[in-house]
Amino acid sequence: MAMDKVRYAGDPVAAVLAVDEPTADEALRFVDVEYEDLSAVTTIEEAIAPGAPLVHEQWSGQAELRGSSYGAPEKFKGTNICSYFGYSRGDVGEGFRKSDYVFEDTFRFPKVQHCSLEPHVMVAHFEEDHLTVWSACQDPFGLRDQLAAIFNLPLSHVRVIVPYVGGGYGGKLYVKAEPIAAALSWKAHRPVKLVMAVSESFKTVTRHPARVRIKSGLLADGRLLARECEIYMNTGAYADAGPRVNQKAGYRTLGPYRIPEVKVDAYCVYTNTVPAGAFRGFGAVQVAWAYESHTDLLAERLGMDPLEFRLKNLLKKGEPYTPGDTPVDCDLKEGLLKVAKALDWKREPSKPNTGKGLSLCMKDAGGTFKIAGATVKMASDGSVVLLTGTVEIGQGSRTALSQVVAEELSLDLNQISVAQLDTDVTPYDVSTSASSSMTVMGLAVQRAAQDVKKQLLGAASKVLDKKFAALTLKDGKVHSRGGKAVPYGKIITGYFGSKAGEIIGRGLYRDVKTKRAALGSTTTFWEVGWGGAEVEVDRETGAIHLHKYVSVADVGKAINPVQCEGQDEGGVVFGLGHTLFEQMVYEDGQLLNPNLVDYRVPTFRDLPKEFSSALIENQNGPGPFGSKGMGEGGLLPVASAIADAISKAVGIRFYDLPITPEKVWRALREKARR
Amino acid sequence: MAMDKVRYAGDPVAAVLAVDEPTADEALRFVDVEYEDLSAVTTIEEAIAPGAPLVHEQWSGQAELRGSSYGAPEKFKGTNICSYFGYSRGDVGEGFRKSDYVFEDTFRFPKVQHCSLEPHVMVAHFEEDHLTVWSACQDPFGLRDQLAAIFNLPLSHVRVIVPYVGGGYGGKLYVKAEPIAAALSWKAHRPVKLVMAVSESFKTVTRHPARVRIKSGLLADGRLLARECEIYMNTGAYADAGPRVNQKAGYRTLGPYRIPEVKVDAYCVYTNTVPAGAFRGFGAVQVAWAYESHTDLLAERLGMDPLEFRLKNLLKKGEPYTPGDTPVDCDLKEGLLKVAKALDWKREPSKPNTGKGLSLCMKDAGGTFKIAGATVKMASDGSVVLLTGTVEIGQGSRTALSQVVAEELSLDLNQISVAQLDTDVTPYDVSTSASSSMTVMGLAVQRAAQDVKKQLLGAASKVLDKKFAALTLKDGKVHSRGGKAVPYGKIITGYFGSKAGEIIGRGLYRDVKTKRAALGSTTTFWEVGWGGAEVEVDRETGAIHLHKYVSVADVGKAINPVQCEGQDEGGVVFGLGHTLFEQMVYEDGQLLNPNLVDYRVPTFRDLPKEFSSALIENQNGPGPFGSKGMGEGGLLPVASAIADAISKAVGIRFYDLPITPEKVWRALREKARR
């Protein structure tokens, strides 16, 4: 499959199809590949060095020019720069000139993997000119688009079915090996199953390693005046979601602060490594690590308390993040003060080698231009099937979306089923991503349920001969003023004159497109996460003991509080991974640790000793009942909060993740030596 | 499973579940059943004899009292009469008194089987409190109702999926062995597959054997004045669709003639034989055999030409069949004269032992109270998926319904796919039966497509900034007066602002309920079939040589002429089966020939030497583009046309089917002896 050139160790070269795995293994021995060694670039530095070998000789010109980007993409021709995003407002040079202080820091983020418990898995079946694919994917409609384009089929000839998915975290967005399975099925005239091993998923998609340089200008009182950010994202050998991740990283790098003059340059860079794509946080994780560490450093340099420094510069509710975009939709101070209180911020730690850190991050949630449809189908007994394109990836969407239906229709949750996700029949949804489902799909589902409600009340009005306005729904029955309560089923069978018939409601959600917004459409809502950590550093071993972690999430309204807390805690644990443990290690272009033994994810033993997750519910979300999406916010503040706590504990600042015991131990030795 | 009593040889007694068929066969040997011999009734005569053993001790009171039925059902308590349908108008006694002649005949119809090439087959999977069933059935929503009731689940917890079905003919309506498979899955916590052998399908459902007595009063000039019909339908050991088949037989027994005074009594009778249910013609086949043979006998007795006799008594287009029901919707003379012309009716056959017969029959099509919904989903490239509850049972519904969409949306047929039928997501449809799909579902599909068209034109009006009325659809493009033609895909992506989005259209069809109609709702349309046969009888062997068969069908508009002809020819061949060959033979309560060797279906060698099928297209149907349903009409006239041709050829009238060579040979011997 790799045409002329293999671009990374893991690039599919050939596929072997067999009736079972042992036979395929046997057949693999007969595949003989002769490789010619080529020079490789694996790091950002190598890739952008003058005269670096090109990962792709042909320049695709994939520059992202939406929003107020600048710079001519043509100038990147003949380089490894895959795409570019730029943003500026005001005059950053002027800002720096007016500043009392200007500080600059550079941070690095490692290559990490999603480690979904279920690896990539799919079945493809070509029958004449119709292709059916069962895939553990997060964007069945996007996958349908790609497969239709690849095999030159109308969209109506490609059917993607998604069963329960064993974790996604963005790793199952965008087409992966499905076209390979489909081509094999087309050749074999049989359904073809392709299940990846963990090591193969490691070689399929990762998070972007990043280098983020931030330069800020401040007044003596601590007010931010100007900021310049230069971001390089290592997107690996193929673009996947890279250009969009890079764009979002660039857009999100300003942080939740009021900064009059800004300039951002974000570069997405090809290297000969596993492609990087969407991953929980979608570019925000890398830049949040950078801008919040930078914030702590700024406070430190000015001799200010990092809490006070943040409170001074935070955007207020209703203030614009960038002109034309949705204004900040929550009180950023509220969560920060909650974290400070939970950490007993003002009290000095009583033990030595112990420190505290806090952080907050903001992410334009919803992704880029969301469209979602939903259908609610009420059968003649009043029970309901919900059709939604949101993929259940363990986040609990089936339960939460069913709750919205149950609430709107005053039905027991056990009367509601969620239909199999199938692009042939399920209404369109852009993707299950960007913490958007509760808001975007939630609204579509709510509107579909409200459509059913309207039709049901209309039918009841006829059947019961009562005025529409005199009728209400309660506990599966239509109640009328001065009348008897009648079960929905009786209304429907009465209306249709038999057990035949049903009520079908539809709902649609669309983001607002506007040229005034930097990214072309407005942010659906702001996902905000606050976090605080108290750590103790073991000077003998360099081990970090996480005594306490406090997470606060702005959820608007928790449709299912237990699920929300679970998601928030899960986000924090993800953050612990890249903060303290995880990193894909390359040597001579080879990935050394593509397995769950050598690659270290957090375990239950790594959980904070005290661990709390608080939900702020101010009904300030645009979703059903004032809800917002959530699930990524908890992840964002972890690294910088812990890094600052370490700095407070032992006076060492880390600029690169992960902060492993070895790194800490070496830094302690180095510091002692100086 | 059989509780206390086994009611027929074939009644399921126990189920054995195993990982494969050989293991199940092995396990079966360990099932030891001890039967106590009970007296059985297998024929109508035995079942209605005074003191007959009761098939069901408990009287269920299943009398069909819809319509203008009379008679107290309680009087059938303690008998084998399962249900009763009565209809009368005028005073039939007075009619007979005023008549110049009164004649009475009795006809019999045998027990025959559907012989679908695919036997009954299903997979059931219980997962917690959700049941999924894949079944080769014709009424997935009816099956869902039954399974929900049996397992006490909300309808939304039962999902029925129907793949392509290898023939149905009514035999796959109503629940069959699906609850057994479901109960086994519930027990085993695994999916359970149940595939019937041909012999088991023979013991699952059959057509009703019938005895039909018709008495008619006439004036000397041949005008019909009064008719009394007494029908007994042998429904086997369980009711299945029996009561409804009996009702329809009763309602259809008057034939396409103007008869002022009528009285009908139709009795549905339990016997210890395989249950009889729905079967292509649904009661019409048995009574059409009777009333058209009776018609020929009346003409013969009056010395009239059977064609002339019919033309004198035929209902005219627009005349009511019964008051309150849909009037006759075609010119009955037109088809009859077509048949006569094709048979060169007036010309005497040149060869000896040769004769001609003709016949016409009318059936209230659409079944009882039809409701159908459809959804048309246009993707962002303008291609379409159709959601329809009509089961593809080989009749070509997927093609014909897709053609309706293609025509309404001016799309290439290859842009249209039909979604998998799945009760969770497919809009409700009563059942695939009664030749109704082209009209009932056709209208729902057409309306759904028109809904898409309206939305598409609305979107185009915005995208192109043109008036709605100035836009038309042609060949997948929106055309505007004085503007460029724009592909649908461009309109949709333009309207939604991205590749995201789609247009979903909905359509619904409902029959009209009215108390004025004898059956509670009006007939959707009249299915009319005309047939004519020319046969030669071999006096040596009794064999019937079918030299010619002419079939004419009133289809309104043939959406797919090749499919229509195929269906009509198939109907005729079905008719040849029960006319000349087929009969399930019982001895001592045991079915002797439940296999395709001893049970003789027509083969290609039995086809008429000359065989034509003509479609009358007057756009007189209520379906899309003036279409009507079809597919049963061809079957109805076969038996009586052939029987009359035999009578003309050798002067012997048969009252019982099938007219086998042995029967003919014996009758010829008998006649020669007299």
Side-chain angles (χ1 to χ4, degrees):
Chain A
M1 278 165 291
M3 307 289 273
D4 302 328
K5 187 170 164 181
V6 174
R7 289 193 170 76
Y8 73 99
D11 206 350
V13 170
V16 165
L17 180 63
V19 289
D20 55 29
E21 208 174 323
T23 313
D25 280 338
E26 183 81 6
L28 267 181
R29 295 193 299 124
F30 295 95
V31 179
D32 197 11
V33 186
E34 208 174 299
Y35 294 99
E36 177 192 340
D37 276 356
L38 299 175
S39 332
V41 291
T42 57
T43 65
I44 290 165
E45 286 69 22
E46 288 168 6
I48 62 176
L54 294 180
V55 178
H56 293 269
E57 292 75 11
Q58 278 214 297
W59 182 71
S60 67
Q62 270 217 43
E64 285 276 307
L65 286 172
R66 272 186 287 190
S68 50
S69 307
Y70 53 95
E74 272 79 11
K75 75 177 177 191
F76 300 127
K77 208 163 173 172
T79 75
N80 281 315
I81 299 197
C82 157
S83 77
Y84 165 80
F85 172 80
Y87 174 77
S88 72
R89 63 168 181 257
D91 180 338
V92 77
E94 183 65 19
F96 287 134
R97 279 189 290 278
K98 282 189 195 158
S99 297
D100 296 322
Y101 303 101
V102 175
F103 299 111
E104 181 179 317
D105 298 299
T106 298
F107 302 89
R108 283 184 170 77
F109 196 96
K111 195 170 186 73
V112 295
Q113 221 271 333
H114 306 72
C115 299
S116 296
L117 282 185
E118 178 191 48
H120 294 90
V121 50
M122 62 221 63
V123 175
H125 192 196
F126 244 113
E127 292 170 289
E128 295 179 26
D129 59 348
H130 280 73
L131 170 63
T132 304
V133 171
W134 291 257
S135 171
C137 76
Q138 294 176 241
D139 57 344
F141 289 91
L143 179 56
R144 185 182 64 163
D145 280 347
Q146 295 289 322
L147 291 171
I150 291 168
F151 293 100
N152 194 25
L153 295 170
L155 291 172
S156 64
H157 286 218
V158 181
R159 179 185 181 201
V160 177
I161 297 170
V162 185
Y164 283 104
V165 173
Y169 315 112
K172 289 166 183 171
L173 287 165
Y174 286 58
V175 66
K176 296 288 182 283
E178 289 84 356
I180 301 176
L184 291 171
S185 173
W186 175 78
K187 196 87 183 164
H189 301 283
R190 290 179 62 175
V192 168
K193 184 162 82 172
L194 200 161
V195 182
M196 290 202 188
V198 168
S199 63
E200 290 164 330
S201 276
F202 260 94
K203 290 177 180 169
T204 298
V205 65
T206 70
R207 193 192 288 284
H208 285 78
R211 188 181 84 184
V212 183
R213 185 177 59 80
I214 309 186
K215 181 172 155 188
S216 296
L218 306 107
L219 294 177
D221 66 357
R223 269 181 294 155
L224 285 160
L225 268 197
R227 176 165 288 179
E228 193 181 87
C229 304
E230 182 198 68
I231 302 167
Y232 283 93
M233 305 289 278
N234 177 345
T235 204
Y238 297 98
D240 195 274
R244 288 190 56 229
V245 172
N246 183 62
Q247 178 203 49
K248 287 294 193 180
Y251 190 63
R252 290 163 179 170
T253 194
L254 303 173
Y257 303 110
R258 192 181 308 107
I259 315 173
E261 332 280 347
V262 300
K263 178 170 185 299
V264 177
D265 294 290
Y267 304 91
C268 183
V269 181
Y270 284 127
T271 62
N272 295 111
T273 63
V274 181
F279 192 157
R280 202 172 189 174
F282 207 84
V285 177
Q286 294 93 326
V287 296
W289 152 242
Y291 72 66
E292 279 297 84
S293 286
H294 179 64
T295 301
D296 287 323
L297 280 161
L298 295 179
E300 207 171 293
R301 286 160 183 154
L302 295 182
M304 285 180 73
D305 177 272
L307 172 62
E308 296 308 320
F309 180 79
R310 284 181 168 84
L311 292 174
K312 189 180 279 282
N313 286 290
L314 276 184
L315 290 165
K316 285 198 166 52
K317 185 172 178 181
E319 263 191 279
Y321 177 76
T322 61
D325 201 351
T326 307
V328 175
D329 56 5
C330 74
D331 181 356
L332 293 167
K333 270 188 353 194
E334 184 182 1
L336 194 60
L337 294 173
K338 250 186 196 295
V339 169
K341 195 178 168 198
L343 284 180
D344 206 352
W345 183 252
K346 293 292 173 196
R347 200 173 52 82
E348 280 298 311
S350 50
K351 291 172 74 180
N353 302 318
T354 301
K356 299 178 196 176
L358 50 66
S359 169
L360 80 160
C361 307
M362 199 168 102
K363 171 179 178 286
D364 53 306
T368 302
F369 196 59
K370 284 283 183 183
I371 290 186
T375 299
V376 170
K377 198 163 165 273
M378 181 177 273
S380 62
D381 67 346
S383 70
V384 156
V385 175
L386 167 64
L387 281 78
T388 164
T390 294
V391 177
E392 176 60 72
I393 49 175
Q395 83 281 46
S397 60
R398 286 179 162 237
T399 304
L401 293 172
S402 294
Q403 283 179 271
V404 172
V405 176
E407 185 70 22
E408 279 297 335
L409 292 173
S410 198
L411 268 177
D412 239 40
L413 203 54
N414 72 7
Q415 296 294 301
I416 299 159
S417 291
V418 180
Q420 172 185 267
L421 205 174
D422 170 352
T423 55
D424 262 8
V425 297
T426 308
Y428 193 96
D429 179 50
V430 168
S431 62
T432 299
S433 63
S435 303
S436 66
S437 302
M438 196 63 250
T439 297
V440 168
M441 184 55 81
L443 286 173
V445 166
Q446 186 178 34
R447 289 166 188 167
Q450 286 165 345
D451 186 15
V452 168
K453 185 174 176 175
K454 204 174 113 191
Q455 295 179 53
L456 181 60
L457 287 172
S461 164
K462 284 201 178 166
V463 171
L464 305 175
D465 197 17
K466 298 263 183 187
K467 279 193 184 146
F468 188 96
L471 300 170
T472 50
L473 306 185
K474 191 150 182 263
D475 299 337
K477 288 176 181 155
V478 177
H479 292 250
S480 59
R481 261 178 250 136
K484 268 200 291 189
V486 183
Y488 299 166
K490 281 211 168 167
I491 298 294
I492 298 174
T493 49
Y495 180 72
F496 285 100
S498 82
K499 270 211 287 188
E502 67 194 344
I503 292 177
I504 298 180
R506 287 199 48 217
L508 185 68
Y509 172 86
R510 281 166 77 178
D511 270 343
V512 181
K513 279 222 167 187
T514 164
K515 286 185 182 154
R516 289 186 55 232
L519 301 181
S521 65
T522 55
T523 288
T524 314
F525 62 93
W526 292 98
E527 182 168 2
V528 182
W530 299 266
E534 185 172 333
V535 307
E536 184 180 351
V537 180
D538 185 328
R539 286 187 171 270
E540 296 301 309
T541 63
I544 312 290
H545 298 295
L546 189 53
H547 287 318
K548 190 172 190 171
Y549 194 90
V550 177
S551 180
V552 176
D554 179 55
V555 301
K557 166 78 187 169
I559 300 296
N560 190 312
V562 172
Q563 286 186 175
C564 287
E565 285 165 23
Q567 283 246 32
D568 195 53
E569 289 172 3
V572 170
V573 177
F574 247 92
L576 294 181
H578 61 238
T579 303
L580 301 173
F581 312 109
E582 298 179 37
Q583 178 162 30
M584 290 168 69
V585 181
Y586 269 89
E587 200 176 281
D588 294 336
Q590 296 294 327
L591 176 58
L592 298 184
N593 59 343
N595 61 71
L596 293 174
V597 175
D598 299 320
Y599 181 92
R600 166 86 157 81
V601 294
T603 68
F604 278 100
R605 300 173 67 172
D606 301 313
L607 290 182
K609 273 196 208 100
E610 268 183 64
F611 193 3
S612 72
S613 169
L615 308 175
I616 297 181
E617 298 187 74
N618 288 328
Q619 282 75 43
N620 55 326
F625 315 110
S627 62
K628 289 173 123 182
M630 57 91 62
E632 295 176 279
L635 173 63
L636 304 179
V638 177
S640 57
I642 289 178
D644 198 44
I646 293 169
S647 164
K648 298 289 186 292
V650 291
I652 297 175
R653 168 68 53 183
F654 288 93
Y655 294 84
D656 298 354
L657 296 179
I659 309 171
T660 58
E662 183 186 334
K663 252 191 217 171
V664 175
W665 181 81
R666 284 188 192 281
L668 286 167
R669 278 228 313 196
E670 182 73 20
K671 196 185 173 200
R673 203 176 290 152
R674 268 186 285 155
Chain B
M1 279 165 289
M3 306 289 272
D4 302 328
K5 187 170 163 180
V6 174
R7 289 194 169 77
Y8 73 99
D11 207 351
V13 170
V16 166
L17 180 62
V19 289
D20 54 30
E21 208 174 324
T23 314
D25 280 339
E26 183 80 8
L28 267 180
R29 293 193 300 125
F30 297 95
V31 179
D32 197 11
V33 187
E34 208 175 299
Y35 293 100
E36 178 192 338
D37 276 356
L38 299 175
S39 332
V41 291
T42 56
T43 65
I44 290 165
E45 286 68 23
E46 286 168 10
I48 62 176
L54 292 180
V55 178
H56 293 271
E57 293 75 12
Q58 277 215 299
W59 183 70
S60 67
Q62 270 220 44
E64 284 275 309
L65 285 171
R66 271 185 289 186
S68 50
S69 305
Y70 53 96
E74 273 80 9
K75 76 177 176 192
F76 301 126
K77 208 165 175 170
T79 75
N80 281 316
I81 298 199
C82 156
S83 78
Y84 165 80
F85 171 80
Y87 174 77
S88 72
R89 61 168 181 257
D91 181 338
V92 77
E94 184 62 19
F96 287 134
R97 277 189 292 280
K98 283 192 195 154
S99 297
D100 295 322
Y101 304 101
V102 175
F103 299 110
E104 182 178 316
D105 298 297
T106 298
F107 303 89
R108 282 185 171 77
F109 195 94
K111 194 169 186 74
V112 293
Q113 221 269 333
H114 307 70
C115 298
S116 296
L117 281 185
E118 179 190 48
H120 293 89
V121 50
M122 62 219 64
V123 174
H125 192 197
F126 245 114
E127 292 170 289
E128 295 179 24
D129 58 349
H130 280 74
L131 170 61
T132 303
V133 172
W134 290 257
S135 170
C137 75
Q138 295 176 241
D139 57 345
F141 289 91
L143 179 57
R144 184 182 66 164
D145 279 348
Q146 295 289 323
L147 291 170
I150 290 168
F151 294 100
N152 194 26
L153 294 170
L155 290 173
S156 65
H157 285 218
V158 181
R159 178 184 181 201
V160 177
I161 297 169
V162 186
Y164 283 104
V165 173
Y169 315 112
K172 290 166 183 170
L173 287 166
Y174 285 59
V175 67
K176 296 289 181 284
E178 288 86 354
I180 300 175
L184 290 171
S185 173
W186 177 77
K187 197 86 183 167
H189 300 284
R190 289 180 62 175
V192 168
K193 183 161 83 172
L194 201 160
V195 181
M196 290 200 187
V198 167
S199 63
E200 289 164 331
S201 277
F202 259 95
K203 288 176 180 170
T204 298
V205 64
T206 70
R207 193 191 287 284
H208 285 76
R211 189 180 84 185
V212 182
R213 185 176 61 79
I214 308 186
K215 181 172 156 186
S216 296
L218 306 107
L219 293 177
D221 66 359
R223 269 183 295 156
L224 286 159
L225 267 196
R227 176 167 288 180
E228 193 180 86
C229 304
E230 183 197 67
I231 302 166
Y232 282 94
M233 304 289 277
N234 177 346
T235 204
Y238 297 99
D240 195 274
R244 288 190 55 228
V245 172
N246 182 63
Q247 179 204 48
K248 288 293 193 179
Y251 190 62
R252 290 164 179 171
T253 196
L254 303 173
Y257 303 109
R258 192 181 306 106
I259 316 172
E261 331 278 347
V262 300
K263 181 171 185 296
V264 177
D265 294 292
Y267 304 91
C268 183
V269 181
Y270 284 126
T271 63
N272 295 111
T273 62
V274 181
F279 192 158
R280 203 172 189 174
F282 207 84
V285 176
Q286 296 92 326
V287 296
W289 152 242
Y291 70 66
E292 280 296 85
S293 288
H294 179 63
T295 301
D296 287 322
L297 281 161
L298 294 180
E300 205 170 297
R301 285 160 185 154
L302 295 182
M304 284 179 74
D305 176 90
L307 172 63
E308 296 307 320
F309 180 79
R310 283 180 169 88
L311 292 174
K312 188 180 277 285
N313 286 291
L314 276 185
L315 289 165
K316 285 200 165 52
K317 185 171 178 182
E319 264 191 280
Y321 177 76
T322 61
D325 201 351
T326 306
V328 175
D329 56 6
C330 74
D331 180 358
L332 294 168
K333 270 191 344 196
E334 185 183 358
L336 194 59
L337 293 174
K338 250 186 198 295
V339 170
K341 193 177 168 200
L343 284 181
D344 205 352
W345 182 252
K346 292 290 174 198
R347 197 172 54 83
E348 281 297 313
S350 50
K351 289 173 74 180
N353 302 316
T354 301
K356 300 179 197 176
L358 49 67
S359 169
L360 81 161
C361 307
M362 199 168 102
K363 172 178 177 287
D364 54 306
T368 302
F369 198 58
K370 284 282 181 182
I371 291 186
T375 298
V376 169
K377 199 164 165 274
M378 181 177 274
S380 62
D381 67 346
S383 70
V384 155
V385 175
L386 167 64
L387 281 79
T388 164
T390 293
V391 177
E392 175 60 73
I393 49 175
Q395 84 280 48
S397 61
R398 286 177 161 236
T399 304
L401 294 171
S402 294
Q403 285 180 268
V404 172
V405 176
E407 184 70 22
E408 278 298 336
L409 292 173
S410 198
L411 268 179
D412 238 40
L413 202 55
N414 73 7
Q415 296 294 301
I416 299 159
S417 290
V418 180
Q420 171 183 268
L421 205 174
D422 170 350
T423 55
D424 262 8
V425 296
T426 307
Y428 193 96
D429 177 51
V430 168
S431 63
T432 299
S433 63
S435 303
S436 65
S437 301
M438 196 63 251
T439 297
V440 167
M441 184 55 79
L443 286 172
V445 166
Q446 187 178 35
R447 287 165 191 170
Q450 286 166 345
D451 187 13
V452 168
K453 184 174 177 175
K454 204 174 114 191
Q455 294 179 54
L456 181 61
L457 287 172
S461 162
K462 283 200 178 168
V463 171
L464 305 176
D465 197 18
K466 299 264 182 188
K467 279 193 183 148
F468 188 96
L471 300 170
T472 49
L473 306 185
K474 187 145 185 266
D475 298 337
K477 289 178 179 153
V478 177
H479 292 249
S480 58
R481 262 178 251 137
K484 267 201 291 190
V486 183
Y488 299 166
K490 282 213 168 169
I491 298 294
I492 298 174
T493 50
Y495 180 74
F496 284 100
S498 83
K499 271 211 287 188
E502 68 194 343
I503 293 177
I504 299 180
R506 286 197 51 218
L508 186 67
Y509 172 86
R510 281 165 77 177
D511 271 341
V512 181
K513 279 220 169 189
T514 165
K515 285 182 182 155
R516 289 185 55 232
L519 301 181
S521 64
T522 54
T523 288
T524 313
F525 62 92
W526 292 98
E527 182 170 0
V528 182
W530 297 266
E534 186 172 333
V535 306
E536 183 179 351
V537 179
D538 185 328
R539 285 188 171 269
E540 295 302 308
T541 62
I544 312 288
H545 298 295
L546 189 53
H547 287 318
K548 190 171 191 171
Y549 194 90
V550 177
S551 180
V552 176
D554 180 56
V555 301
K557 165 79 187 167
I559 300 297
N560 190 312
V562 172
Q563 286 187 175
C564 287
E565 284 164 24
Q567 283 245 32
D568 194 54
E569 289 172 4
V572 171
V573 176
F574 248 91
L576 294 181
H578 61 240
T579 303
L580 301 173
F581 312 109
E582 298 180 38
Q583 177 161 31
M584 290 169 69
V585 181
Y586 269 88
E587 198 177 284
D588 294 336
Q590 296 294 328
L591 176 58
L592 299 185
N593 57 344
N595 62 70
L596 292 175
V597 174
D598 299 320
Y599 181 90
R600 165 85 158 85
V601 294
T603 69
F604 278 100
R605 300 174 66 171
D606 301 314
L607 290 182
K609 273 196 209 103
E610 267 184 65
F611 192 5
S612 71
S613 169
L615 309 175
I616 296 181
E617 297 187 76
N618 289 328
Q619 282 75 42
N620 56 324
F625 315 109
S627 62
K628 290 173 123 180
M630 56 91 62
E632 295 177 278
L635 175 62
L636 304 178
V638 177
S640 56
I642 289 179
D644 198 42
I646 293 170
S647 165
K648 296 293 186 293
V650 292
I652 298 174
R653 168 69 53 184
F654 288 94
Y655 294 84
D656 298 355
L657 295 178
I659 309 171
T660 57
E662 183 185 336
K663 252 193 217 169
V664 175
W665 182 79
R666 284 189 192 281
L668 285 167
R669 279 229 314 197
E670 182 74 19
K671 196 185 173 200
R673 203 176 290 149
R674 269 185 285 151

